């Protein structure tokens, strides 16, 4: 097992510091659901930024949902050495797009191209009625949206209106941290009767430079 003398960190290289920081945050994420959930959200946001930076190579018209999910899976799999187990199409009452496990905790995500609200709502229903149950070690999941729109803020705001009209059980809606396009909804899960949270995270993929 790796051990660190924290008093010597000032002499560490940037790579050593990053290793120590990652080991610390992944260890903390094993200790409670909230810490685990926060870590997953952070990893997803970082992966989203990486995919957006490569959108000139990930052309929307020629990349399928599975293609985008394969890229997301590849990025998240980079944390395997810290104990993070990422799966694609693992069985959770059906074949869920992304499953992430760390210790006893599991997070499920369904991914959709954000081509229209019905298609996105289908993904929400798959996540909340087919894959998840909101047990003690899996209290939230995510809807990952591959967005080709300009002004994604408008799409996400309208998606919240659409979702609440189609699914009135939503009891709470909020934004995550500083990005108001990332939404978090809460409702009572039909299977367990427990509270279930869903993060709705857009990945910006529109690429239409003027020059």
């Amino acid at each position: 097992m790796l051990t660190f003398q924290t008093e010597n960190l000032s002499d560490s290289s940037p790579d050593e510091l990053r290793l120590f920081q990652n080991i610390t945050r992944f260890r903390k994420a094993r200790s409670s659901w909230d810490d685990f959930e926060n870590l997953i959200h952070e990893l997803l946001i970082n992966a989203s930024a990486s995919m957006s930076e490569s959108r000139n190579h990930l052309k929307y018209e020629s990349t399928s949902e599975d293609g985008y999910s394969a890229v997301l899976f590849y990025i998240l799999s980079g944390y395997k050495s810290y104990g993070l187990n990422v799966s694609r199409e693992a069985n959770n009452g059906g074949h869920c797009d992304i499953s992430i496990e760390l210790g006893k905790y599991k997070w499920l995500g369904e991914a959709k191209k954000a081509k229209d609200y019905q298609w996105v709502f289908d993904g929400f229903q798959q996540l909340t009625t087919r894959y998840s149950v909101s047990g003690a070690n899996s209290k939230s999941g995510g809807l990952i949206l591959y967005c080709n729109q300009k002004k994604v803020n408008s799409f996400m705001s309208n998606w919240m209106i659409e979702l609440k009209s189609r699914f009135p059980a939503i009891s709470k809606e909020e934004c995550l941290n500083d990005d108001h396009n990332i939404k978090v909804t809460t409702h009572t899960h039909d299977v367990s009767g427990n509270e279930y949270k869903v993060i709705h995270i857009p990945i910006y993929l529109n690429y239409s430079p003027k020059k």
Side-chain angles (χ1 to χ4, degrees):
M1 179 181 293
L2 289 174
T3 59
F4 293 88
Q5 298 296 323
T6 55
E7 63 269 19
N8 295 328
L9 285 177
S10 60
D11 298 325
S12 301
S13 69
D15 286 343
E16 289 171 332
L17 280 173
R18 192 176 304 112
L19 174 63
F20 173 74
Q21 290 166 351
N22 281 337
I23 289 174
T24 300
R25 65 180 180 151
F26 276 83
R27 181 179 295 159
K28 183 181 179 184
R30 293 173 180 268
S31 65
S32 74
W33 173 262
D34 288 343
D35 288 324
F36 169 74
E37 183 184 69
N38 288 337
L39 174 67
I40 298 304
H41 289 177
E42 179 185 343
L43 298 181
L44 286 170
I45 290 169
N46 290 343
S48 168
S50 295
M51 292 179 68
S52 294
E53 289 168 2
S54 299
R55 67 193 184 281
N56 56 318
H57 299 297
L58 299 170
K59 298 298 177 63
Y60 202 79
E61 296 75 13
S62 56
T63 306
S64 65
E65 281 180 353
D66 282 346
Y68 282 127
S69 294
V71 175
L72 180 61
F73 170 78
Y74 175 79
I75 295 171
L76 294 174
S77 294
Y79 300 97
K80 183 177 181 180
S81 60
Y82 300 104
L84 198 73
N85 183 24
V86 184
S87 304
R88 282 195 65 208
E89 303 294 337
N91 184 58
N92 291 276
H95 297 292
C96 189
D97 285 333
I98 297 289
S99 174
I100 305 175
E101 297 178 74
L102 183 68
K104 64 183 180 181
Y105 299 122
K106 178 186 287 189
W107 184 95
L108 303 176
E110 181 65 10
K112 290 290 184 184
K113 272 191 167 184
K115 53 188 180 182
D116 59 57
Y117 295 119
Q118 181 59 53
W119 187 245
V120 174
F121 184 62
D122 288 346
F124 178 83
Q125 287 191 305
Q126 285 175 282
L127 174 66
T128 57
T129 68
R130 180 183 298 178
Y131 304 137
S132 64
V133 296
S134 192
N137 297 325
S138 190
K139 298 179 182 179
S140 72
L143 190 60
I144 301 157
L145 301 176
Y146 304 128
C147 294
N148 190 41
Q149 294 86 351
K150 294 181 179 179
K151 300 189 186 305
V152 171
N153 60 328
S154 177
F155 179 87
M156 294 303 295
S157 294
N158 288 331
W159 162 234
M160 287 294 100
I161 295 171
E162 286 283 335
L163 175 60
K164 286 182 285 189
S165 70
R166 296 169 188 242
F167 191 76
I170 297 293
S171 60
K172 186 178 181 181
E173 172 203 338
E174 54 192 331
C175 299
L176 186 74
N177 301 332
D178 296 328
D179 191 335
H180 293 286
N181 290 341
I182 301 176
K183 311 294 186 181
V184 180
T185 58
T186 304
H187 70 278
T188 299
H189 202 288
D190 281 346
V191 175
S192 64
N194 295 330
E195 185 179 84
Y196 191 66
K197 286 169 45 177
V198 177
I199 184 172
H200 308 247
I201 180 166
I203 299 182
Y204 308 129
L205 295 166
N206 181 274
Y207 186 68
S208 50
K210 301 303 181 185
K211 288 190 178 181

